[in-house]
Amino acid sequence: MTLRWRLTLFYTALLAFLLTGVGVITLYMMRVNLIGGIDTELQNTYKQFVTYLVRPIGAADETARLPTDQQQLRAQRLQAEQFSEQSSLVSQIGQAKLLARYYFPNSSVAVEDLSFYTRQTLIDDLKVARTAQEKRELFAYLAGLRGTSRRSLAVDIQRPITLTDRELEALINATDGRLHLNRLIADAPNREPTLMRLLVVLGPLTNSEPRREVGLSGFESDPPLGIVYVARSLGTVQKTLDDLRQVVMLLFLTGLATAGTGAYLLAGQALLPLRRVQRAAERIGGQNLTERVPVPQTGDEVESLATALNAMLGRLEGSFEAQRRFTSDASHELRTPVTAISGHASYLLRRTNPTGQQQESLKIIQSESERLTNLIASLLQLARSDSGALTLQRGPVFSALLLSDIVRELAPLAQAQHTTLTSTGEDVTFEGDADRLKQVLINLVSNALKAGAQTVTLRSERVGAGVRLSVQDDGPGIPKDQLERLFDRFYRLEDSRSRDQGGAGLGLSIARGIVDAHGGRIWLDSEVGQGTTAHVQLPVGNVPELDLDDVP
């Protein structure tokens, strides 16, 4: 993965994390605020409902009064007196229900009477019930009281609002006697329950501070205790949160797309100077070390990198130049004494009568002198190639004719080794130095003969806008991990065999230099036991229309 894509993904992921955090916090705060608003409305509704619940009957509109359908006895823990003529709480609840239809049209309300208890006695009874069985009996008794006194508004009587034992225990132990719950409540028969916010209050059925009231008997009594349920639908809250969630998701996707595109473009713009430096560095090789990479005036690390690369190229150029100068000078200096040694050895062999042993020594001296001369010539050619001073005599070349000349020239050597040497393929006319290319192909054929090939085939073919010259043999083959190393200077696949046959490990290096000077490339394909094929691919170049009559 490129640096540009890594930067794009990093900044996009970072923005996605931030947007996710902002979205979650926004939704959470909005939900808290909306739920808080509903809780406030539920509290106000509860206060107003309790106000109507304890309003004296005579103070209400006569048309709003509901007849008393039963009398409930209220027992006091400190008195055993019963009240037969007391204003019925059930009648007050019925009156409050009728008033609530007009004042609380969006709320569901339910009331359960626990007038046999005060809040403190209820807490004390819960503390006394220590075991699970005692708690179950207490809650069962309270459930009976609540069930017989329950009155509901906008709640399906078949599916009333109820509390579990754990919730009732939490309500009794609550400091303010209040619980806030989210509950599925059916507000009418044959209607699916909807999610509502529920306020449950355990306290006196009055909106004033707890006080002592005087009953008909003249004794003081506590205000009636009950449980009031006030619920309101969360549909509006859910719709608001769903709309906000969609908006946040849309902004999230839009922001990611915009940020990703922007990060990709900005990263590309920021890395553009670095890509220019890269392309310039890729063009620089041993033949053009004088070139330098462009230095962008950005004042950042890219500018420092380009400056460092140019300094390194300067040092490499100096090292290569020193190496070429040493190779050239040493070759020139060695040529004269080697020539003198070879000449004196030849003179002694021709003009004197050496003994057999002396004659053998002189022949070895002469052979090694010739080998050293060839090595010096190769080093000089490599030095000229490295310095760019290798001159080419370009002209039209007929590939078929070039291969035929090589076959004819090397035929005696091939016959001596019992090797079949042939040429084939189409005739392609291209521009090049025939003598230099012949040197390359002769070197390739010589390598095949040295490897012990029984058949060597030279082939030419047109490939696209160029020509490919191939030398194929059926020799032992070359391991794939050594194919590229064969073009290194002084590298030999089998040192002892190559040295005995006069090889110095420079032939393929020279061949690559000549091919590179033509603007082509050379490579090897080989499998062990299957033979080797050397390919030389060259551009056609500017070739005039010629035929065989134009060839001398």
Side-chain angles (χ1 to χ4, degrees):
M1 184 180 294
T2 62
L3 179 60
R4 183 178 187 179
W5 276 110
R6 289 203 298 270
L7 289 174
T8 301
L9 292 178
F10 172 76
Y11 287 116
T12 304
L14 180 62
L15 181 63
F17 176 77
L18 295 177
L19 289 178
T20 301
V22 171
V24 170
I25 293 174
T26 301
L27 289 173
Y28 174 76
M29 294 181 63
M30 180 62 70
R31 187 179 187 279
V32 170
N33 291 334
L34 291 175
I35 296 296
I38 288 183
D39 289 342
T40 302
E41 293 177 1
L42 292 175
Q43 183 67 26
N44 295 333
T45 301
Y46 163 73
K47 291 180 180 180
Q48 295 176 19
F49 178 77
V50 174
T51 300
Y52 290 120
L53 186 64
V54 300
R55 178 181 294 179
I57 297 176
D61 188 355
E62 293 296 331
T63 61
R65 298 181 59 184
L66 294 178
T68 303
D69 53 3
Q70 65 175 356
Q71 295 293 332
Q72 292 189 351
L73 299 179
R74 302 181 56 193
Q76 303 296 326
R77 294 178 62 88
L78 300 177
Q79 300 93 5
E81 180 182 3
Q82 295 183 347
F83 297 92
S84 60
E85 299 296 331
Q86 186 180 11
S87 298
S88 175
L89 176 62
V90 175
S91 177
Q92 294 179 22
I93 293 174
Q95 178 181 340
K97 286 173 59 178
L98 184 59
L99 294 173
R101 293 180 186 276
Y102 297 99
Y103 290 98
F104 320 119
N106 297 322
S107 300
S108 298
V109 182
V111 180
E112 296 172 352
D113 181 18
L114 297 175
S115 56
F116 289 99
Y117 282 95
T118 64
R119 190 161 186 271
Q120 186 59 46
T121 59
L122 194 59
I123 293 175
D124 293 340
D125 287 351
L126 183 60
K127 290 181 179 179
V128 171
R130 299 179 181 276
T131 65
Q133 180 63 27
E134 291 175 347
K135 285 186 178 182
R136 282 197 296 269
E137 293 176 356
L138 175 61
F139 290 143
Y141 175 70
L142 293 176
L145 291 178
R146 291 159 52 204
T148 57
S149 64
R150 182 182 295 117
R151 297 294 182 272
S152 301
L153 170 66
V155 179
D156 185 2
I157 60 176
Q158 301 297 327
R159 293 174 287 180
I161 303 175
T162 60
L163 294 176
T164 64
D165 292 348
R166 182 174 296 180
E167 292 171 344
L168 181 57
E169 182 178 359
L171 176 64
I172 295 172
N173 291 326
T175 304
D176 57 354
R178 286 173 169 79
L179 281 182
H180 289 91
L181 303 172
N182 293 336
R183 184 66 57 81
L184 290 172
I185 299 174
D187 56 359
N190 301 323
R191 184 178 295 178
E192 290 295 328
T194 58
L195 185 64
M196 292 189 179
R197 184 68 171 176
L198 178 63
L199 170 64
V200 186
V201 182
L202 172 65
L205 298 179
T206 175
N207 66 333
S208 61
E209 293 296 327
R211 56 189 166 92
R212 308 293 292 181
E213 295 182 348
V214 180
L216 297 178
S217 64
F219 294 100
E220 290 184 349
S221 62
D222 292 323
L225 182 69
I227 299 177
V228 180
Y229 303 86
V230 184
R232 179 162 294 188
S233 174
L234 289 175
T236 303
V237 174
Q238 289 296 109
K239 185 177 184 307
T240 302
L241 291 177
D242 289 342
D243 293 342
L244 181 60
R245 191 177 295 108
Q246 292 178 1
V247 171
V248 170
M249 183 59 66
L250 179 62
L251 293 176
F252 178 82
L253 296 177
T254 305
L256 280 187
T258 304
T261 304
Y264 183 80
L265 295 177
L266 288 177
Q269 189 67 26
L271 295 175
L272 182 59
L274 189 59
R275 286 199 300 272
R276 291 174 178 170
V277 170
Q278 175 192 354
R279 288 194 292 266
E282 289 174 349
R283 291 194 301 267
I284 298 176
Q287 307 295 331
N288 55 347
L289 281 175
T290 56
E291 295 186 13
R292 296 292 182 268
V293 299
V295 180
Q297 303 300 319
T298 55
D300 55 12
E301 290 80 359
V302 178
E303 181 178 356
S304 300
L305 176 63
T307 303
L309 282 176
N310 285 336
M312 181 187 68
L313 289 173
R315 293 192 296 270
L316 286 176
E317 181 185 6
S319 298
F320 272 76
E321 182 62 30
Q323 178 184 351
R324 287 194 295 265
R325 189 181 304 111
F326 171 77
T327 302
S328 179
D329 293 345
S331 300
H332 279 290
E333 293 298 327
L334 288 173
R335 176 176 291 181
T336 301
V338 169
T339 302
I341 292 173
S342 178
H344 284 287
S346 298
Y347 173 80
L348 291 176
L349 285 173
R350 292 195 308 268
R351 298 302 179 94
T352 63
N353 295 317
T355 64
Q357 186 176 1
Q358 293 174 342
Q359 187 176 8
E360 182 179 357
S361 298
L362 290 173
K363 288 182 178 180
I364 292 175
I365 294 173
Q366 188 179 29
S367 175
E368 293 299 322
S369 299
E370 293 177 356
R371 180 180 174 184
L372 188 57
T373 301
N374 293 331
L375 176 60
I376 292 172
S378 298
L379 290 174
L380 285 174
Q381 187 168 350
L382 285 174
R384 286 193 294 268
S385 177
D386 291 340
S387 63
L390 183 62
T391 58
L392 299 178
Q393 302 295 327
R394 293 182 177 273
V397 178
F398 293 93
S399 62
L401 185 59
L402 177 65
L403 299 184
S404 298
D405 290 342
I406 296 173
V407 169
R408 185 172 56 254
E409 183 174 339
L410 296 179
L413 181 60
Q415 291 174 1
Q417 296 187 200
H418 306 286
T419 301
T420 302
L421 181 62
T422 59
S423 64
T424 185
E426 60 181 314
D427 191 13
V428 181
T429 305
F430 62 97
E431 183 183 28
D433 189 330
D435 293 335
R436 297 289 187 182
L437 293 176
K438 183 181 292 187
Q439 180 183 354
V440 171
L441 295 174
I442 289 176
N443 181 272
L444 297 176
V445 175
S446 299
N447 289 339
L449 295 176
K450 291 175 184 178
Q454 299 299 312
T455 302
V456 179
T457 303
L458 283 70
R459 184 185 308 274
S460 69
E461 58 183 331
R462 183 181 294 274
V463 179
V467 58
R468 180 178 297 175
L469 307 176
S470 303
V471 178
Q472 182 178 4
D473 66 68
D474 59 354
I478 303 171
K480 291 187 179 299
D481 59 339
Q482 299 190 38
L483 289 177
E484 189 63 26
R485 295 189 61 190
L486 288 174
F487 292 95
D488 296 340
R489 296 175 184 180
F490 299 104
Y491 180 81
R492 287 169 291 194
L493 187 62
E494 297 180 14
D495 292 342
S496 60
R497 186 192 68 178
S498 299
R499 187 178 296 111
D500 293 340
Q501 297 180 359
L506 296 176
L508 289 178
S509 299
I510 296 173
R512 170 171 281 184
I514 295 174
V515 173
D516 289 343
H518 279 81
R521 68 189 189 98
I522 181 173
W523 72 97
L524 300 175
D525 289 332
S526 181
E527 291 187 14
V528 176
Q530 301 295 324
T532 303
T533 303
H535 301 282
V536 176
Q537 188 160 324
L538 304 166
V540 172
N542 299 320
V543 180
E545 294 293 334
L546 298 173
D547 53 31
L548 292 177
D549 295 336
D550 297 321
V551 181

